[in-house]
Amino acid sequence: MRRRSEVDWLPLACSLVLGPVFCFGCGDLFGPERFDYVRPQLRSLSIDDMGTRLLDGGVLYLYAAPSDTAFVLDRNQRVPLEVAVSSGDRETVVLYNVHCPSRERIPGRFQCFRLNLAMREGHHASEVAGRLSAEHGRFLLISATGWFAAVVFFSPEDPIGRARRARSWPGVALTELTPLVCAGTSCPSLTVPVALDASAATPGDGVVQANAGDTLSVSYRQPTGGLLQLRLAVP
Amino acid sequence: MGIRPPTPLLVILAAAFCAQARAQTCTGFGSLLGSKYRVDLSAARYTYATAVRASVTTGRSLFATLGVGATRDGELDASTYDLSAQVGYDVPMGEEPITFCPELSVSYSLGPYDFMLNDGHFTYLDAGVGLSLAGIAVRTGRVTVIPAVGAHYSRLALKRVVSAEQRENSVQGWVKTDWYGVLSAGVGVVIDDHLVLRPGVTVPLGFVPVRHESYDDWIVPFGREDGEVSLNLTVGIRIGRRGRQAR
């Protein structure tokens, strides 16, 4: 015969156990996880400044090619880079994979930071500038008539979710994940887009402030201790 | 190819609910001899996804489990919702406390919808057979520890259901099928014959390699990766006390 005192603790025990059971699986269910910095050996850095100033400032794309061409960051990993401008701005930015999702066994991979928007007839992409800014993004390209825009986001978090959210922006007809443009081993596999403004330096705000005549330098501390550096004169 | 529920399995499942046999130990959850039902809540962490599941198990030697669950891949912003059933038969091997059981399982999953921003959705139908083996390693007054291992072999049918708009644009739906296996291991800890804690691992095997830009070879259970070792934790509570019976 079971004594009463032996079973009274069950409700408490169950509560204590069930909580951890569901927290065990809650990372993907209830939000993103924190990320970790890693330092792979890089063989090169490069800059793409094709993000010319549009309605809302500029975009500078930084790229890195790991020495191990098969290197891929996990979803919660980032590679830190230092960006310094001769006029005083300094920013730490973090590289992520060019391509998402981070796994290879999936059809339909796309560029993590990019999204294409097609507007409904009679609407211009500039109408979504406020929404884009609120999602920490900027225009990369707007077509002459404004029906199409390529946009860039400064974080790789939740690219599919934000593409879905963008569908409900006013005037947007559809959104499209941007297909891969370069998938060979010679392509840089890590990148980060950085907002670029022509204004006074504000170190640490996540935006690179640079003006004509400045020199912009990007630095990476290799795991072996060496410094990989790239300099660009701002025209 | 159409997807139809396997009728013989449903018959076995129905029979299992009426079964009056002896025990259910082979999966590491301990005997249901003293209880009518066990309610389980479980969570599993895969490489890229997370799954939660609730299920009810009943029977004795012949046992059946009905479950519902969800699998979520946060990076893909995609989820499936699952309904599953399993039947098994607990067979003692010589002297107690080692038992094994043949098992049949079937599951149906709905989703993900709008996968990678492609309109339409997917459904998964999975039917499999397996064997589990468990033995009572430790039995004290209040705690029983039951290590268990299992191997299952399943046939998966993945169906892509296109939307009306996609059909207008000549996008075709399709069905693909393939076999795969799952190895599993766990340790059930039964406390006071009421509460069961069962941490475990599973390893799926045998998925076809996927080419990056094509759905041609994409036939894998949602959220799983070939060869990944994933952790899971199940908490079971036995309810509905049976009358005491001689074994």
Side-chain angles (χ1 to χ4, degrees), chain A residues 6 9 17 21 25 29 33 101-108 161 164 167, chain B residues 43 45 48 50 73 75-77 114 116 142 191-192 207-208 212 214 235:
Chain A
E6 287 181 348
W9 58 270
V17 168
V21 165
L29 293 176
E33 301 163 10
S102 55
R103 74 207 76 174
E104 292 198 345
R105 293 176 58 86
I106 193 85
R164 287 206 175 95
R167 286 177 178 171
Chain B
R45 192 65 180 269
Y48 301 109
T50 302
D73 186 321
E75 188 180 23
L76 302 181
D77 192 28
D114 194 28
M116 307 279 270
R142 300 178 65 177
I191 302 170
D192 273 353
F207 300 159
V208 174
H212 292 176
S214 167
V235 177

PDB file of all heavy atoms in Angstrom, chain A residues 6 9 17 21 25 29 33 101-108 161 164 167, chain B residues 43 45 48 50 73 75-77 114 116 142 191-192 207-208 212 214 235:
ATOM      1  N   GLU A   6       4.435   9.481  -0.028  1.00  0.00           N
ATOM      2  CA  GLU A   6       5.308   9.092  -1.121  1.00  0.00           C
ATOM      3  C   GLU A   6       4.859   9.645  -2.469  1.00  0.00           C
ATOM      4  O   GLU A   6       5.631   9.674  -3.407  1.00  0.00           O
ATOM      5  CB  GLU A   6       5.380   7.569  -1.213  1.00  0.00           C
ATOM      6  CG  GLU A   6       6.191   6.955  -0.099  1.00  0.00           C
ATOM      7  CD  GLU A   6       6.261   5.456  -0.247  1.00  0.00           C
ATOM      8  OE1 GLU A   6       5.512   4.915  -1.069  1.00  0.00           O
ATOM      9  OE2 GLU A   6       7.043   4.828   0.474  1.00  0.00           O
ATOM     10  N   TRP A   9       4.676  14.496  -3.718  1.00  0.00           N
ATOM     11  CA  TRP A   9       5.677  15.325  -4.384  1.00  0.00           C
ATOM     12  C   TRP A   9       5.577  15.254  -5.902  1.00  0.00           C
ATOM     13  O   TRP A   9       6.216  16.004  -6.608  1.00  0.00           O
ATOM     14  CB  TRP A   9       7.080  14.921  -3.943  1.00  0.00           C
ATOM     15  CG  TRP A   9       7.402  13.475  -4.228  1.00  0.00           C
ATOM     16  CD1 TRP A   9       7.200  12.414  -3.405  1.00  0.00           C
ATOM     17  CD2 TRP A   9       7.956  12.948  -5.437  1.00  0.00           C
ATOM     18  NE1 TRP A   9       7.592  11.257  -4.018  1.00  0.00           N
ATOM     19  CE2 TRP A   9       8.066  11.552  -5.267  1.00  0.00           C
ATOM     20  CE3 TRP A   9       8.377  13.520  -6.645  1.00  0.00           C
ATOM     21  CZ2 TRP A   9       8.568  10.730  -6.268  1.00  0.00           C
ATOM     22  CZ3 TRP A   9       8.873  12.693  -7.624  1.00  0.00           C
ATOM     23  CH2 TRP A   9       8.961  11.312  -7.425  1.00  0.00           C
ATOM     24  N   VAL A  17      10.155  19.153 -13.875  1.00  0.00           N
ATOM     25  CA  VAL A  17      10.703  18.414 -15.002  1.00  0.00           C
ATOM     26  C   VAL A  17      10.144  18.925 -16.330  1.00  0.00           C
ATOM     27  O   VAL A  17      10.867  19.083 -17.306  1.00  0.00           O
ATOM     28  CB  VAL A  17      10.403  16.904 -14.849  1.00  0.00           C
ATOM     29  CG1 VAL A  17      10.694  16.171 -16.147  1.00  0.00           C
ATOM     30  CG2 VAL A  17      11.236  16.330 -13.723  1.00  0.00           C
ATOM     31  N   VAL A  21      11.944  20.320 -19.941  1.00  0.00           N
ATOM     32  CA  VAL A  21      11.682  19.544 -21.157  1.00  0.00           C
ATOM     33  C   VAL A  21      11.360  20.481 -22.304  1.00  0.00           C
ATOM     34  O   VAL A  21      11.885  20.362 -23.407  1.00  0.00           O
ATOM     35  CB  VAL A  21      10.519  18.556 -20.949  1.00  0.00           C
ATOM     36  CG1 VAL A  21      10.028  18.026 -22.297  1.00  0.00           C
ATOM     37  CG2 VAL A  21      10.963  17.410 -20.077  1.00  0.00           C
ATOM     38  N   GLY A  25      13.733  22.369 -25.904  1.00  0.00           N
ATOM     39  CA  GLY A  25      13.453  22.520 -27.326  1.00  0.00           C
ATOM     40  C   GLY A  25      12.989  23.896 -27.724  1.00  0.00           C
ATOM     41  O   GLY A  25      12.487  24.066 -28.809  1.00  0.00           O
ATOM     42  N   LEU A  29      11.827  27.476 -31.211  1.00  0.00           N
ATOM     43  CA  LEU A  29      10.402  27.761 -31.142  1.00  0.00           C
ATOM     44  C   LEU A  29      10.138  29.195 -30.723  1.00  0.00           C
ATOM     45  O   LEU A  29       9.189  29.820 -31.150  1.00  0.00           O
ATOM     46  CB  LEU A  29       9.727  26.820 -30.145  1.00  0.00           C
ATOM     47  CG  LEU A  29       9.700  25.354 -30.539  1.00  0.00           C
ATOM     48  CD1 LEU A  29       9.093  24.533 -29.429  1.00  0.00           C
ATOM     49  CD2 LEU A  29       8.915  25.167 -31.821  1.00  0.00           C
ATOM     50  N   GLU A  33      19.022  32.311 -31.095  1.00  0.00           N
ATOM     51  CA  GLU A  33      19.969  32.100 -30.018  1.00  0.00           C
ATOM     52  C   GLU A  33      21.061  33.166 -30.089  1.00  0.00           C
ATOM     53  O   GLU A  33      21.186  33.875 -31.052  1.00  0.00           O
ATOM     54  CB  GLU A  33      20.572  30.712 -30.170  1.00  0.00           C
ATOM     55  CG  GLU A  33      19.525  29.627 -30.138  1.00  0.00           C
ATOM     56  CD  GLU A  33      20.065  28.315 -30.698  1.00  0.00           C
ATOM     57  OE1 GLU A  33      21.273  28.230 -30.908  1.00  0.00           O
ATOM     58  OE2 GLU A  33      19.256  27.415 -30.919  1.00  0.00           O
ATOM     59  N   PRO A 101      20.147  28.722 -46.406  1.00  0.00           N
ATOM     60  CA  PRO A 101      20.479  28.390 -45.024  1.00  0.00           C
ATOM     61  C   PRO A 101      21.926  27.897 -44.895  1.00  0.00           C
ATOM     62  O   PRO A 101      22.589  27.631 -45.900  1.00  0.00           O
ATOM     63  CB  PRO A 101      19.494  27.277 -44.679  1.00  0.00           C
ATOM     64  CG  PRO A 101      18.483  27.258 -45.768  1.00  0.00           C
ATOM     65  CD  PRO A 101      19.148  27.829 -46.967  1.00  0.00           C
ATOM     66  N   SER A 102      22.371  27.743 -43.657  1.00  0.00           N
ATOM     67  CA  SER A 102      23.763  27.394 -43.425  1.00  0.00           C
ATOM     68  C   SER A 102      24.066  25.946 -43.797  1.00  0.00           C
ATOM     69  O   SER A 102      25.214  25.572 -43.925  1.00  0.00           O
ATOM     70  CB  SER A 102      24.108  27.623 -41.954  1.00  0.00           C
ATOM     71  OG  SER A 102      23.208  26.920 -41.122  1.00  0.00           O
ATOM     72  N   ARG A 103      23.067  25.139 -43.980  1.00  0.00           N
ATOM     73  CA  ARG A 103      23.262  23.727 -44.352  1.00  0.00           C
ATOM     74  C   ARG A 103      23.334  23.594 -45.872  1.00  0.00           C
ATOM     75  O   ARG A 103      22.867  24.479 -46.593  1.00  0.00           O
ATOM     76  CB  ARG A 103      22.115  22.883 -43.815  1.00  0.00           C
ATOM     77  CG  ARG A 103      20.812  23.073 -44.594  1.00  0.00           C
ATOM     78  CD  ARG A 103      19.595  22.811 -43.791  1.00  0.00           C
ATOM     79  NE  ARG A 103      19.321  23.894 -42.892  1.00  0.00           N
ATOM     80  CZ  ARG A 103      18.232  23.982 -42.130  1.00  0.00           C
ATOM     81  NH1 ARG A 103      17.347  23.005 -42.140  1.00  0.00           N
ATOM     82  NH2 ARG A 103      18.018  25.002 -41.352  1.00  0.00           N
ATOM     83  N   GLU A 104      23.877  22.508 -46.329  1.00  0.00           N
ATOM     84  CA  GLU A 104      23.970  22.300 -47.768  1.00  0.00           C
ATOM     85  C   GLU A 104      22.873  21.389 -48.300  1.00  0.00           C
ATOM     86  O   GLU A 104      22.533  21.444 -49.476  1.00  0.00           O
ATOM     87  CB  GLU A 104      25.331  21.708 -48.124  1.00  0.00           C
ATOM     88  CG  GLU A 104      26.464  22.695 -47.880  1.00  0.00           C
ATOM     89  CD  GLU A 104      27.719  22.302 -48.610  1.00  0.00           C
ATOM     90  OE1 GLU A 104      27.797  21.152 -49.064  1.00  0.00           O
ATOM     91  OE2 GLU A 104      28.616  23.157 -48.720  1.00  0.00           O
ATOM     92  N   ARG A 105      22.314  20.556 -47.407  1.00  0.00           N
ATOM     93  CA  ARG A 105      21.345  19.559 -47.889  1.00  0.00           C
ATOM     94  C   ARG A 105      19.950  20.175 -47.971  1.00  0.00           C
ATOM     95  O   ARG A 105      19.035  19.756 -47.285  1.00  0.00           O
ATOM     96  CB  ARG A 105      21.328  18.362 -46.948  1.00  0.00           C
ATOM     97  CG  ARG A 105      22.627  17.563 -46.951  1.00  0.00           C
ATOM     98  CD  ARG A 105      22.547  16.484 -45.931  1.00  0.00           C
ATOM     99  NE  ARG A 105      21.425  15.600 -46.167  1.00  0.00           N
ATOM    100  CZ  ARG A 105      21.443  14.536 -46.971  1.00  0.00           C
ATOM    101  NH1 ARG A 105      22.541  14.229 -47.599  1.00  0.00           N
ATOM    102  NH2 ARG A 105      20.392  13.801 -47.128  1.00  0.00           N
ATOM    103  N   ILE A 106      19.819  21.191 -48.783  1.00  0.00           N
ATOM    104  CA  ILE A 106      18.520  21.853 -48.884  1.00  0.00           C
ATOM    105  C   ILE A 106      18.429  22.465 -50.281  1.00  0.00           C
ATOM    106  O   ILE A 106      19.392  23.030 -50.770  1.00  0.00           O
ATOM    107  CB  ILE A 106      18.383  22.936 -47.787  1.00  0.00           C
ATOM    108  CG1 ILE A 106      16.953  23.425 -47.637  1.00  0.00           C
ATOM    109  CG2 ILE A 106      19.325  24.099 -48.007  1.00  0.00           C
ATOM    110  CD1 ILE A 106      16.135  22.554 -46.734  1.00  0.00           C
ATOM    111  N   PRO A 107      17.322  22.343 -50.940  1.00  0.00           N
ATOM    112  CA  PRO A 107      17.175  22.993 -52.236  1.00  0.00           C
ATOM    113  C   PRO A 107      16.850  24.470 -52.057  1.00  0.00           C
ATOM    114  O   PRO A 107      16.294  24.875 -51.037  1.00  0.00           O
ATOM    115  CB  PRO A 107      16.000  22.248 -52.870  1.00  0.00           C
ATOM    116  CG  PRO A 107      15.232  21.694 -51.731  1.00  0.00           C
ATOM    117  CD  PRO A 107      16.193  21.487 -50.602  1.00  0.00           C
ATOM    118  N   GLY A 108      17.210  25.263 -53.065  1.00  0.00           N
ATOM    119  CA  GLY A 108      16.770  26.653 -53.086  1.00  0.00           C
ATOM    120  C   GLY A 108      17.538  27.591 -52.186  1.00  0.00           C
ATOM    121  O   GLY A 108      16.949  28.514 -51.621  1.00  0.00           O
ATOM    122  N   GLY A 161      11.539  34.791 -42.638  1.00  0.00           N
ATOM    123  CA  GLY A 161      10.468  35.446 -41.887  1.00  0.00           C
ATOM    124  C   GLY A 161      10.315  36.903 -42.289  1.00  0.00           C
ATOM    125  O   GLY A 161       9.200  37.396 -42.481  1.00  0.00           O
ATOM    126  N   ARG A 164       8.694  37.253 -45.582  1.00  0.00           N
ATOM    127  CA  ARG A 164       7.234  37.110 -45.478  1.00  0.00           C
ATOM    128  C   ARG A 164       6.612  38.405 -44.967  1.00  0.00           C
ATOM    129  O   ARG A 164       5.576  38.844 -45.450  1.00  0.00           O
ATOM    130  CB  ARG A 164       6.881  35.965 -44.524  1.00  0.00           C
ATOM    131  CG  ARG A 164       7.138  34.605 -45.098  1.00  0.00           C
ATOM    132  CD  ARG A 164       6.230  33.548 -44.450  1.00  0.00           C
ATOM    133  NE  ARG A 164       6.459  32.294 -45.132  1.00  0.00           N
ATOM    134  CZ  ARG A 164       7.304  31.354 -44.705  1.00  0.00           C
ATOM    135  NH1 ARG A 164       7.946  31.523 -43.560  1.00  0.00           N
ATOM    136  NH2 ARG A 164       7.485  30.256 -45.390  1.00  0.00           N
ATOM    137  N   ARG A 167       6.075  41.083 -47.512  1.00  0.00           N
ATOM    138  CA  ARG A 167       4.939  40.937 -48.430  1.00  0.00           C
ATOM    139  C   ARG A 167       3.760  41.815 -48.019  1.00  0.00           C
ATOM    140  O   ARG A 167       2.917  42.147 -48.846  1.00  0.00           O
ATOM    141  CB  ARG A 167       4.454  39.492 -48.445  1.00  0.00           C
ATOM    142  CG  ARG A 167       5.341  38.541 -49.178  1.00  0.00           C
ATOM    143  CD  ARG A 167       4.750  37.169 -49.020  1.00  0.00           C
ATOM    144  NE  ARG A 167       5.500  36.159 -49.739  1.00  0.00           N
ATOM    145  CZ  ARG A 167       5.281  34.865 -49.605  1.00  0.00           C
ATOM    146  NH1 ARG A 167       4.325  34.437 -48.784  1.00  0.00           N
ATOM    147  NH2 ARG A 167       5.988  33.999 -50.277  1.00  0.00           N
TER     148      ARG A 167
ATOM    149  N   ALA B  43      10.480  16.375 -26.072  1.00  0.00           N
ATOM    150  CA  ALA B  43      11.110  17.391 -26.914  1.00  0.00           C
ATOM    151  C   ALA B  43      12.383  16.788 -27.477  1.00  0.00           C
ATOM    152  O   ALA B  43      13.066  16.025 -26.808  1.00  0.00           O
ATOM    153  CB  ALA B  43      11.429  18.640 -26.105  1.00  0.00           C
ATOM    154  N   ARG B  45      15.892  17.787 -29.946  1.00  0.00           N
ATOM    155  CA  ARG B  45      16.692  18.842 -30.561  1.00  0.00           C
ATOM    156  C   ARG B  45      17.491  18.241 -31.703  1.00  0.00           C
ATOM    157  O   ARG B  45      18.331  17.373 -31.474  1.00  0.00           O
ATOM    158  CB  ARG B  45      17.630  19.436 -29.502  1.00  0.00           C
ATOM    159  CG  ARG B  45      18.297  20.724 -29.931  1.00  0.00           C
ATOM    160  CD  ARG B  45      17.236  21.790 -30.099  1.00  0.00           C
ATOM    161  NE  ARG B  45      17.810  23.049 -30.522  1.00  0.00           N
ATOM    162  CZ  ARG B  45      18.209  23.987 -29.674  1.00  0.00           C
ATOM    163  NH1 ARG B  45      18.105  23.795 -28.385  1.00  0.00           N
ATOM    164  NH2 ARG B  45      18.694  25.117 -30.129  1.00  0.00           N
ATOM    165  N   TYR B  48      19.176  21.291 -36.904  1.00  0.00           N
ATOM    166  CA  TYR B  48      18.618  22.568 -37.349  1.00  0.00           C
ATOM    167  C   TYR B  48      17.184  22.792 -36.882  1.00  0.00           C
ATOM    168  O   TYR B  48      16.614  23.834 -37.164  1.00  0.00           O
ATOM    169  CB  TYR B  48      18.635  22.645 -38.879  1.00  0.00           C
ATOM    170  CG  TYR B  48      20.002  22.524 -39.473  1.00  0.00           C
ATOM    171  CD1 TYR B  48      20.381  21.381 -40.165  1.00  0.00           C
ATOM    172  CD2 TYR B  48      20.940  23.543 -39.338  1.00  0.00           C
ATOM    173  CE1 TYR B  48      21.640  21.259 -40.714  1.00  0.00           C
ATOM    174  CE2 TYR B  48      22.205  23.427 -39.873  1.00  0.00           C
ATOM    175  CZ  TYR B  48      22.551  22.289 -40.561  1.00  0.00           C
ATOM    176  OH  TYR B  48      23.808  22.165 -41.091  1.00  0.00           O
ATOM    177  N   THR B  50      13.700  21.699 -34.040  1.00  0.00           N
ATOM    178  CA  THR B  50      13.262  21.283 -32.724  1.00  0.00           C
ATOM    179  C   THR B  50      11.892  20.633 -32.869  1.00  0.00           C
ATOM    180  O   THR B  50      11.073  21.092 -33.658  1.00  0.00           O
ATOM    181  CB  THR B  50      13.143  22.507 -31.804  1.00  0.00           C
ATOM    182  OG1 THR B  50      14.409  23.153 -31.738  1.00  0.00           O
ATOM    183  CG2 THR B  50      12.735  22.107 -30.407  1.00  0.00           C
ATOM    184  N   ASP B  73      11.685  24.448 -37.753  1.00  0.00           N
ATOM    185  CA  ASP B  73      13.027  24.825 -38.194  1.00  0.00           C
ATOM    186  C   ASP B  73      13.054  26.352 -38.233  1.00  0.00           C
ATOM    187  O   ASP B  73      12.479  26.965 -39.137  1.00  0.00           O
ATOM    188  CB  ASP B  73      13.317  24.229 -39.576  1.00  0.00           C
ATOM    189  CG  ASP B  73      14.746  24.472 -40.025  1.00  0.00           C
ATOM    190  OD1 ASP B  73      15.270  25.570 -39.770  1.00  0.00           O
ATOM    191  OD2 ASP B  73      15.340  23.565 -40.636  1.00  0.00           O
ATOM    192  N   GLU B  75      15.475  28.544 -38.717  1.00  0.00           N
ATOM    193  CA  GLU B  75      16.223  29.199 -39.787  1.00  0.00           C
ATOM    194  C   GLU B  75      15.414  29.264 -41.075  1.00  0.00           C
ATOM    195  O   GLU B  75      15.502  30.217 -41.829  1.00  0.00           O
ATOM    196  CB  GLU B  75      17.543  28.454 -40.027  1.00  0.00           C
ATOM    197  CG  GLU B  75      18.466  29.164 -40.991  1.00  0.00           C
ATOM    198  CD  GLU B  75      19.770  28.411 -41.213  1.00  0.00           C
ATOM    199  OE1 GLU B  75      19.796  27.192 -40.991  1.00  0.00           O
ATOM    200  OE2 GLU B  75      20.757  29.059 -41.607  1.00  0.00           O
ATOM    201  N   LEU B  76      14.612  28.228 -41.298  1.00  0.00           N
ATOM    202  CA  LEU B  76      13.781  28.207 -42.505  1.00  0.00           C
ATOM    203  C   LEU B  76      12.407  28.799 -42.269  1.00  0.00           C
ATOM    204  O   LEU B  76      11.591  28.857 -43.178  1.00  0.00           O
ATOM    205  CB  LEU B  76      13.625  26.760 -43.004  1.00  0.00           C
ATOM    206  CG  LEU B  76      14.906  26.003 -43.331  1.00  0.00           C
ATOM    207  CD1 LEU B  76      14.576  24.601 -43.831  1.00  0.00           C
ATOM    208  CD2 LEU B  76      15.719  26.763 -44.365  1.00  0.00           C
ATOM    209  N   ASP B  77      12.128  29.206 -41.019  1.00  0.00           N
ATOM    210  CA  ASP B  77      10.814  29.736 -40.659  1.00  0.00           C
ATOM    211  C   ASP B  77       9.719  28.779 -41.142  1.00  0.00           C
ATOM    212  O   ASP B  77       8.764  29.173 -41.802  1.00  0.00           O
ATOM    213  CB  ASP B  77      10.620  31.136 -41.263  1.00  0.00           C
ATOM    214  CG  ASP B  77       9.407  31.856 -40.686  1.00  0.00           C
ATOM    215  OD1 ASP B  77       9.051  31.569 -39.531  1.00  0.00           O
ATOM    216  OD2 ASP B  77       8.798  32.696 -41.401  1.00  0.00           O
ATOM    217  N   ASP B 114       4.295  27.308 -47.624  1.00  0.00           N
ATOM    218  CA  ASP B 114       5.041  28.448 -48.169  1.00  0.00           C
ATOM    219  C   ASP B 114       6.536  28.267 -47.934  1.00  0.00           C
ATOM    220  O   ASP B 114       7.243  29.204 -47.544  1.00  0.00           O
ATOM    221  CB  ASP B 114       4.533  29.738 -47.490  1.00  0.00           C
ATOM    222  CG  ASP B 114       4.991  30.988 -48.222  1.00  0.00           C
ATOM    223  OD1 ASP B 114       5.209  30.912 -49.437  1.00  0.00           O
ATOM    224  OD2 ASP B 114       5.145  32.024 -47.558  1.00  0.00           O
ATOM    225  N   MET B 116      10.312  28.164 -48.106  1.00  0.00           N
ATOM    226  CA  MET B 116      11.305  28.998 -48.806  1.00  0.00           C
ATOM    227  C   MET B 116      10.602  29.983 -49.756  1.00  0.00           C
ATOM    228  O   MET B 116      11.092  30.243 -50.863  1.00  0.00           O
ATOM    229  CB  MET B 116      12.289  28.126 -49.583  1.00  0.00           C
ATOM    230  CG  MET B 116      12.964  27.044 -48.780  1.00  0.00           C
ATOM    231  SD  MET B 116      14.345  27.615 -47.813  1.00  0.00           S
ATOM    232  CE  MET B 116      15.666  27.375 -48.986  1.00  0.00           C
ATOM    233  N   ARG B 142      11.919   2.532  -5.139  1.00  0.00           N
ATOM    234  CA  ARG B 142      11.123   3.565  -5.793  1.00  0.00           C
ATOM    235  C   ARG B 142      11.544   3.842  -7.227  1.00  0.00           C
ATOM    236  O   ARG B 142      10.821   4.496  -7.967  1.00  0.00           O
ATOM    237  CB  ARG B 142      11.197   4.862  -4.984  1.00  0.00           C
ATOM    238  CG  ARG B 142      10.682   4.707  -3.569  1.00  0.00           C
ATOM    239  CD  ARG B 142      10.811   5.994  -2.796  1.00  0.00           C
ATOM    240  NE  ARG B 142       9.959   7.037  -3.363  1.00  0.00           N
ATOM    241  CZ  ARG B 142       9.839   8.242  -2.836  1.00  0.00           C
ATOM    242  NH1 ARG B 142      10.489   8.560  -1.747  1.00  0.00           N
ATOM    243  NH2 ARG B 142       9.052   9.150  -3.386  1.00  0.00           N
ATOM    244  N   ILE B 191       9.946   6.377 -11.717  1.00  0.00           N
ATOM    245  CA  ILE B 191       9.943   6.769 -10.308  1.00  0.00           C
ATOM    246  C   ILE B 191       8.575   6.487  -9.714  1.00  0.00           C
ATOM    247  O   ILE B 191       7.559   6.982 -10.211  1.00  0.00           O
ATOM    248  CB  ILE B 191      10.280   8.270 -10.172  1.00  0.00           C
ATOM    249  CG1 ILE B 191      11.650   8.556 -10.819  1.00  0.00           C
ATOM    250  CG2 ILE B 191      10.277   8.696  -8.704  1.00  0.00           C
ATOM    251  CD1 ILE B 191      11.953  10.021 -10.960  1.00  0.00           C
ATOM    252  N   ASP B 192       8.554   5.705  -8.688  1.00  0.00           N
ATOM    253  CA  ASP B 192       7.324   5.396  -7.962  1.00  0.00           C
ATOM    254  C   ASP B 192       6.226   4.833  -8.849  1.00  0.00           C
ATOM    255  O   ASP B 192       5.034   5.028  -8.573  1.00  0.00           O
ATOM    256  CB  ASP B 192       6.791   6.654  -7.259  1.00  0.00           C
ATOM    257  CG  ASP B 192       7.429   6.815  -5.889  1.00  0.00           C
ATOM    258  OD1 ASP B 192       8.154   5.901  -5.448  1.00  0.00           O
ATOM    259  OD2 ASP B 192       7.190   7.863  -5.268  1.00  0.00           O
ATOM    260  N   PHE B 207      19.589   8.805 -45.967  1.00  0.00           N
ATOM    261  CA  PHE B 207      18.961   9.798 -46.836  1.00  0.00           C
ATOM    262  C   PHE B 207      19.773   9.945 -48.121  1.00  0.00           C
ATOM    263  O   PHE B 207      21.001   9.863 -48.109  1.00  0.00           O
ATOM    264  CB  PHE B 207      18.898  11.165 -46.161  1.00  0.00           C
ATOM    265  CG  PHE B 207      18.109  11.180 -44.873  1.00  0.00           C
ATOM    266  CD1 PHE B 207      18.311  12.172 -43.950  1.00  0.00           C
ATOM    267  CD2 PHE B 207      17.165  10.211 -44.601  1.00  0.00           C
ATOM    268  CE1 PHE B 207      17.591  12.202 -42.771  1.00  0.00           C
ATOM    269  CE2 PHE B 207      16.440  10.235 -43.428  1.00  0.00           C
ATOM    270  CZ  PHE B 207      16.660  11.226 -42.504  1.00  0.00           C
ATOM    271  N   VAL B 208      19.081  10.237 -49.194  1.00  0.00           N
ATOM    272  CA  VAL B 208      19.751  10.461 -50.473  1.00  0.00           C
ATOM    273  C   VAL B 208      20.400  11.849 -50.446  1.00  0.00           C
ATOM    274  O   VAL B 208      19.782  12.812 -49.996  1.00  0.00           O
ATOM    275  CB  VAL B 208      18.714  10.397 -51.618  1.00  0.00           C
ATOM    276  CG1 VAL B 208      19.347  10.779 -52.944  1.00  0.00           C
ATOM    277  CG2 VAL B 208      18.104   9.014 -51.681  1.00  0.00           C
ATOM    278  N   HIS B 212      22.034  21.077 -54.413  1.00  0.00           N
ATOM    279  CA  HIS B 212      21.652  22.352 -53.802  1.00  0.00           C
ATOM    280  C   HIS B 212      20.375  22.966 -54.358  1.00  0.00           C
ATOM    281  O   HIS B 212      19.513  23.401 -53.626  1.00  0.00           O
ATOM    282  CB  HIS B 212      22.771  23.379 -53.961  1.00  0.00           C
ATOM    283  CG  HIS B 212      23.986  23.026 -53.160  1.00  0.00           C
ATOM    284  ND1 HIS B 212      25.132  23.758 -53.201  1.00  0.00           N
ATOM    285  CD2 HIS B 212      24.214  22.026 -52.298  1.00  0.00           C
ATOM    286  CE1 HIS B 212      26.028  23.222 -52.395  1.00  0.00           C
ATOM    287  NE2 HIS B 212      25.489  22.158 -51.840  1.00  0.00           N
ATOM    288  N   SER B 214      17.935  21.867 -56.338  1.00  0.00           N
ATOM    289  CA  SER B 214      16.897  21.038 -56.922  1.00  0.00           C
ATOM    290  C   SER B 214      16.119  20.275 -55.847  1.00  0.00           C
ATOM    291  O   SER B 214      16.682  19.845 -54.847  1.00  0.00           O
ATOM    292  CB  SER B 214      17.543  20.039 -57.889  1.00  0.00           C
ATOM    293  OG  SER B 214      16.625  19.057 -58.244  1.00  0.00           O
ATOM    294  N   VAL B 235       9.043  12.942 -20.844  1.00  0.00           N
ATOM    295  CA  VAL B 235       8.497  12.809 -19.504  1.00  0.00           C
ATOM    296  C   VAL B 235       7.147  12.128 -19.622  1.00  0.00           C
ATOM    297  O   VAL B 235       6.278  12.594 -20.365  1.00  0.00           O
ATOM    298  CB  VAL B 235       8.331  14.180 -18.835  1.00  0.00           C
ATOM    299  CG1 VAL B 235       7.685  14.017 -17.465  1.00  0.00           C
ATOM    300  CG2 VAL B 235       9.674  14.865 -18.696  1.00  0.00           C
TER     301      VAL B 235
END
